[in-house]
Amino acid sequence: MTSEMGDNLIEYVTSENRVWPLKWHEFSKLIGLNKPGFLPPLILGGAAESDAAKRQRLIDQINFIATDPVLLQKADVFLRSLPEDGWYRSPDPLSDKDRW
């Protein structure tokens, strides 16, 4: 389930070749890393996942909080405040091949 704010945030994080924020763990802690059902970022143990899988995981995280306007606002501010070099980027179409 998404909201208009969630849809707008997803549009932002998938624009300009963005794939995942370099501060992904910090973002995940902000929005609920320890909540039941929360999908962790694909770093460390998930680092070998494809760019497509990583982008989808970020979208899934945003969708996970889409019904909580307070968390969604925090997520929006956090992600939009990252500098341009605060994102891993890859041109579309994203690879669906694992990195290893």
Side-chain angles (χ1 to χ4, degrees), residues 27-62:
F27 171 72
S28 295
K29 288 191 318 186
L30 174 75
I31 65 168
L33 184 59
N34 296 319
K35 289 184 179 182
F38 183 78
L39 299 168
L42 293 176
I43 53 177
L44 301 175
E49 294 293 328
S50 69
D51 290 344
K54 290 177 182 180
R55 180 184 277 171
Q56 186 58 52
R57 177 61 57 94
L58 180 60
I59 291 168
D60 292 343
Q61 288 178 324
I62 293 168

CSV table of all heavy atoms in Angstrom, one decimal, residues 27-62:
chain,number,residue,atom,x,y,z
A,27,PHE,N,19.6,5.1,7.2
A,27,PHE,CA,18.2,5.2,6.8
A,27,PHE,C,17.3,4.1,7.3
A,27,PHE,O,16.2,4.4,7.9
A,27,PHE,CB,18.1,5.2,5.2
A,27,PHE,CG,16.7,5.2,4.7
A,27,PHE,CD1,15.9,6.3,4.8
A,27,PHE,CD2,16.2,4.1,4.1
A,27,PHE,CE1,14.6,6.3,4.3
A,27,PHE,CE2,14.9,4.0,3.6
A,27,PHE,CZ,14.1,5.1,3.7
A,28,SER,N,17.8,2.9,7.3
A,28,SER,CA,17.0,1.8,7.8
A,28,SER,C,16.7,1.9,9.3
A,28,SER,O,15.7,1.5,9.8
A,28,SER,CB,17.7,0.5,7.4
A,28,SER,OG,17.7,0.3,6.0
A,29,LYS,N,17.7,2.3,10.0
A,29,LYS,CA,17.6,2.5,11.4
A,29,LYS,C,16.5,3.6,11.7
A,29,LYS,O,15.7,3.4,12.6
A,29,LYS,CB,18.9,2.9,12.1
A,29,LYS,CG,19.9,1.7,12.2
A,29,LYS,CD,21.1,2.0,13.1
A,29,LYS,CE,21.7,3.3,13.0
A,29,LYS,NZ,22.9,3.5,13.7
A,30,LEU,N,16.5,4.6,10.9
A,30,LEU,CA,15.6,5.7,11.1
A,30,LEU,C,14.1,5.3,10.9
A,30,LEU,O,13.2,5.7,11.7
A,30,LEU,CB,15.9,6.8,10.1
A,30,LEU,CG,14.9,8.0,10.0
A,30,LEU,CD1,15.1,8.9,11.2
A,30,LEU,CD2,15.1,8.8,8.7
A,31,ILE,N,13.9,4.4,9.9
A,31,ILE,CA,12.5,4.0,9.6
A,31,ILE,C,12.1,2.7,10.2
A,31,ILE,O,10.9,2.3,10.0
A,31,ILE,CB,12.3,4.0,8.1
A,31,ILE,CG1,13.1,3.0,7.4
A,31,ILE,CG2,12.5,5.4,7.5
A,31,ILE,CD1,12.7,2.8,5.9
A,32,GLY,N,12.9,2.0,10.9
A,32,GLY,CA,12.4,0.8,11.6
A,32,GLY,C,13.1,-0.5,11.4
A,32,GLY,O,12.5,-1.5,11.2
A,33,LEU,N,14.4,-0.5,11.4
A,33,LEU,CA,15.2,-1.7,11.1
A,33,LEU,C,14.8,-2.9,12.0
A,33,LEU,O,14.8,-4.0,11.6
A,33,LEU,CB,16.7,-1.4,11.3
A,33,LEU,CG,17.7,-2.5,11.0
A,33,LEU,CD1,17.6,-2.9,9.6
A,33,LEU,CD2,19.1,-2.0,11.3
A,34,ASN,N,14.4,-2.6,13.2
A,34,ASN,CA,14.0,-3.6,14.2
A,34,ASN,C,12.5,-4.0,14.3
A,34,ASN,O,12.1,-4.7,15.1
A,34,ASN,CB,14.6,-3.3,15.6
A,34,ASN,CG,16.1,-3.2,15.6
A,34,ASN,OD1,16.7,-4.0,15.0
A,34,ASN,ND2,16.6,-2.2,16.2
A,35,LYS,N,11.7,-3.4,13.4
A,35,LYS,CA,10.3,-3.7,13.4
A,35,LYS,C,10.0,-5.0,12.7
A,35,LYS,O,10.7,-5.4,11.8
A,35,LYS,CB,9.5,-2.6,12.6
A,35,LYS,CG,9.5,-1.3,13.3
A,35,LYS,CD,8.6,-0.3,12.6
A,35,LYS,CE,8.6,1.0,13.3
A,35,LYS,NZ,7.7,2.0,12.6
A,36,PRO,N,9.1,-5.8,13.3
A,36,PRO,CA,8.7,-7.0,12.6
A,36,PRO,C,8.3,-6.8,11.2
A,36,PRO,O,7.5,-5.9,10.9
A,36,PRO,CB,7.5,-7.6,13.5
A,36,PRO,CG,7.7,-6.8,14.8
A,36,PRO,CD,8.3,-5.5,14.5
A,37,GLY,N,8.8,-7.6,10.3
A,37,GLY,CA,8.4,-7.6,8.9
A,37,GLY,C,9.2,-6.6,8.1
A,37,GLY,O,9.1,-6.6,6.9
A,38,PHE,N,10.1,-5.8,8.7
A,38,PHE,CA,10.9,-4.9,8.0
A,38,PHE,C,12.0,-5.6,7.2
A,38,PHE,O,12.7,-6.5,7.8
A,38,PHE,CB,11.6,-3.9,9.0
A,38,PHE,CG,12.4,-2.8,8.3
A,38,PHE,CD1,11.7,-1.7,7.7
A,38,PHE,CD2,13.7,-2.9,8.2
A,38,PHE,CE1,12.4,-0.8,7.0
A,38,PHE,CE2,14.5,-1.9,7.6
A,38,PHE,CZ,13.8,-0.8,7.0
A,39,LEU,N,12.2,-5.2,6.0
A,39,LEU,CA,13.2,-5.8,5.2
A,39,LEU,C,14.5,-5.0,5.3
A,39,LEU,O,14.5,-3.8,5.0
A,39,LEU,CB,12.8,-5.8,3.7
A,39,LEU,CG,11.5,-6.6,3.4
A,39,LEU,CD1,11.0,-6.4,2.0
A,39,LEU,CD2,11.8,-8.1,3.6
A,40,PRO,N,15.6,-5.7,5.7
A,40,PRO,CA,16.9,-5.0,5.9
A,40,PRO,C,17.5,-4.5,4.6
A,40,PRO,O,17.1,-5.1,3.6
A,40,PRO,CB,17.7,-6.0,6.7
A,40,PRO,CG,17.2,-7.3,6.2
A,40,PRO,CD,15.7,-7.1,6.1
A,41,PRO,N,18.4,-3.6,4.7
A,41,PRO,CA,19.0,-3.1,3.4
A,41,PRO,C,19.9,-4.3,2.9
A,41,PRO,O,20.4,-5.1,3.6
A,41,PRO,CB,19.9,-1.9,3.9
A,41,PRO,CG,20.1,-2.1,5.3
A,41,PRO,CD,18.9,-2.9,5.8
A,42,LEU,N,20.1,-4.2,1.6
A,42,LEU,CA,21.0,-5.3,1.0
A,42,LEU,C,22.4,-4.8,1.0
A,42,LEU,O,23.0,-4.5,-0.1
A,42,LEU,CB,20.4,-5.6,-0.4
A,42,LEU,CG,19.1,-6.2,-0.5
A,42,LEU,CD1,18.6,-6.4,-1.9
A,42,LEU,CD2,19.1,-7.6,0.3
A,43,ILE,N,23.0,-4.7,2.2
A,43,ILE,CA,24.4,-4.4,2.3
A,43,ILE,C,25.0,-5.5,3.2
A,43,ILE,O,24.3,-6.4,3.7
A,43,ILE,CB,24.6,-3.0,3.0
A,43,ILE,CG1,23.8,-2.9,4.3
A,43,ILE,CG2,24.2,-1.9,2.1
A,43,ILE,CD1,24.0,-1.6,5.1
A,44,LEU,N,26.3,-5.5,3.3
A,44,LEU,CA,27.0,-6.6,4.0
A,44,LEU,C,26.5,-7.9,3.4
A,44,LEU,O,27.0,-8.3,2.3
A,44,LEU,CB,26.7,-6.5,5.5
A,44,LEU,CG,27.2,-5.2,6.2
A,44,LEU,CD1,26.8,-5.2,7.6
A,44,LEU,CD2,28.6,-5.0,6.0
A,45,GLY,N,25.7,-8.7,4.1
A,45,GLY,CA,25.3,-10.0,3.6
A,45,GLY,C,24.5,-10.0,2.3
A,45,GLY,O,24.5,-10.9,1.5
A,46,GLY,N,23.9,-8.8,2.0
A,46,GLY,CA,23.2,-8.7,0.7
A,46,GLY,C,23.9,-7.9,-0.4
A,46,GLY,O,23.4,-7.6,-1.4
A,47,ALA,N,25.2,-7.6,-0.1
A,47,ALA,CA,26.0,-6.8,-1.0
A,47,ALA,C,26.1,-7.4,-2.4
A,47,ALA,O,26.3,-6.7,-3.4
A,47,ALA,CB,27.3,-6.5,-0.5
A,48,ALA,N,26.0,-8.7,-2.5
A,48,ALA,CA,26.2,-9.4,-3.8
A,48,ALA,C,24.9,-9.3,-4.7
A,48,ALA,O,24.9,-9.7,-5.8
A,48,ALA,CB,26.6,-10.8,-3.6
A,49,GLU,N,23.8,-8.9,-4.1
A,49,GLU,CA,22.6,-8.8,-4.9
A,49,GLU,C,22.7,-7.8,-6.0
A,49,GLU,O,23.5,-6.9,-6.0
A,49,GLU,CB,21.4,-8.3,-3.9
A,49,GLU,CG,21.1,-9.3,-2.9
A,49,GLU,CD,20.5,-10.6,-3.4
A,49,GLU,OE1,19.8,-10.6,-4.5
A,49,GLU,OE2,20.7,-11.7,-2.8
A,50,SER,N,21.9,-7.9,-7.0
A,50,SER,CA,21.9,-7.1,-8.2
A,50,SER,C,21.4,-5.7,-7.9
A,50,SER,O,20.8,-5.4,-6.9
A,50,SER,CB,21.0,-7.7,-9.3
A,50,SER,OG,19.6,-7.6,-8.9
A,51,ASP,N,21.8,-4.7,-8.8
A,51,ASP,CA,21.3,-3.4,-8.6
A,51,ASP,C,19.8,-3.3,-8.6
A,51,ASP,O,19.1,-2.6,-7.9
A,51,ASP,CB,21.8,-2.5,-9.7
A,51,ASP,CG,23.3,-2.2,-9.6
A,51,ASP,OD1,23.9,-2.5,-8.5
A,51,ASP,OD2,23.9,-1.8,-10.6
A,52,ALA,N,19.1,-4.1,-9.5
A,52,ALA,CA,17.7,-4.2,-9.6
A,52,ALA,C,17.1,-4.6,-8.2
A,52,ALA,O,16.1,-4.1,-7.8
A,52,ALA,CB,17.2,-5.1,-10.7
A,53,ALA,N,17.7,-5.6,-7.6
A,53,ALA,CA,17.2,-6.1,-6.3
A,53,ALA,C,17.4,-5.1,-5.2
A,53,ALA,O,16.5,-4.9,-4.4
A,53,ALA,CB,17.9,-7.4,-5.9
A,54,LYS,N,18.5,-4.4,-5.3
A,54,LYS,CA,18.7,-3.3,-4.3
A,54,LYS,C,17.7,-2.2,-4.4
A,54,LYS,O,17.2,-1.7,-3.4
A,54,LYS,CB,20.2,-2.8,-4.3
A,54,LYS,CG,21.1,-3.9,-3.9
A,54,LYS,CD,22.6,-3.4,-4.0
A,54,LYS,CE,23.5,-4.5,-3.6
A,54,LYS,NZ,24.9,-4.1,-3.7
A,55,ARG,N,17.5,-1.7,-5.6
A,55,ARG,CA,16.5,-0.7,-5.8
A,55,ARG,C,15.1,-1.1,-5.4
A,55,ARG,O,14.4,-0.4,-4.7
A,55,ARG,CB,16.4,-0.2,-7.3
A,55,ARG,CG,15.4,0.9,-7.5
A,55,ARG,CD,15.2,1.3,-8.9
A,55,ARG,NE,16.2,2.3,-9.2
A,55,ARG,CZ,16.4,2.7,-10.5
A,55,ARG,NH1,15.7,2.2,-11.5
A,55,ARG,NH2,17.4,3.6,-10.7
A,56,GLN,N,14.8,-2.4,-5.7
A,56,GLN,CA,13.5,-2.9,-5.3
A,56,GLN,C,13.4,-3.0,-3.8
A,56,GLN,O,12.3,-2.7,-3.2
A,56,GLN,CB,13.2,-4.3,-5.9
A,56,GLN,CG,11.8,-4.8,-5.6
A,56,GLN,CD,10.7,-3.8,-6.1
A,56,GLN,OE1,10.7,-3.4,-7.3
A,56,GLN,NE2,9.8,-3.4,-5.2
A,57,ARG,N,14.4,-3.3,-3.1
A,57,ARG,CA,14.4,-3.4,-1.6
A,57,ARG,C,14.2,-2.0,-1.1
A,57,ARG,O,13.4,-1.9,-0.1
A,57,ARG,CB,15.7,-4.0,-1.1
A,57,ARG,CG,15.8,-4.0,0.4
A,57,ARG,CD,14.7,-4.9,1.1
A,57,ARG,NE,14.7,-6.2,0.6
A,57,ARG,CZ,15.3,-7.3,1.2
A,57,ARG,NH1,16.0,-7.1,2.3
A,57,ARG,NH2,15.2,-8.5,0.7
A,58,LEU,N,14.8,-1.0,-1.6
A,58,LEU,CA,14.6,0.4,-1.1
A,58,LEU,C,13.1,0.8,-1.3
A,58,LEU,O,12.5,1.3,-0.4
A,58,LEU,CB,15.5,1.4,-1.8
A,58,LEU,CG,15.4,2.8,-1.4
A,58,LEU,CD1,15.6,3.0,0.1
A,58,LEU,CD2,16.3,3.7,-2.3
A,59,ILE,N,12.5,0.4,-2.5
A,59,ILE,CA,11.1,0.7,-2.8
A,59,ILE,C,10.3,-0.1,-1.8
A,59,ILE,O,9.3,0.5,-1.2
A,59,ILE,CB,10.8,0.3,-4.2
A,59,ILE,CG1,11.4,1.3,-5.2
A,59,ILE,CG2,9.3,0.3,-4.4
A,59,ILE,CD1,11.4,0.8,-6.6
A,60,ASP,N,10.6,-1.3,-1.5
A,60,ASP,CA,9.8,-2.1,-0.5
A,60,ASP,C,9.9,-1.5,0.9
A,60,ASP,O,8.9,-1.5,1.6
A,60,ASP,CB,10.3,-3.5,-0.5
A,60,ASP,CG,10.1,-4.3,-1.7
A,60,ASP,OD1,9.2,-3.9,-2.5
A,60,ASP,OD2,10.7,-5.4,-1.9
A,61,GLN,N,11.0,-0.9,1.2
A,61,GLN,CA,11.2,-0.3,2.5
A,61,GLN,C,10.3,1.0,2.6
A,61,GLN,O,9.6,1.2,3.6
A,61,GLN,CB,12.6,0.1,2.8
A,61,GLN,CG,13.5,-1.0,3.1
A,61,GLN,CD,14.9,-0.6,3.3
A,61,GLN,OE1,15.4,0.3,2.7
A,61,GLN,NE2,15.6,-1.3,4.2
A,62,ILE,N,10.2,1.7,1.5
A,62,ILE,CA,9.3,2.9,1.5
A,62,ILE,C,7.9,2.5,1.6
A,62,ILE,O,7.1,3.0,2.3
A,62,ILE,CB,9.6,3.8,0.3
A,62,ILE,CG1,11.0,4.4,0.4
A,62,ILE,CG2,8.6,4.8,0.1
A,62,ILE,CD1,11.6,5.0,-0.9
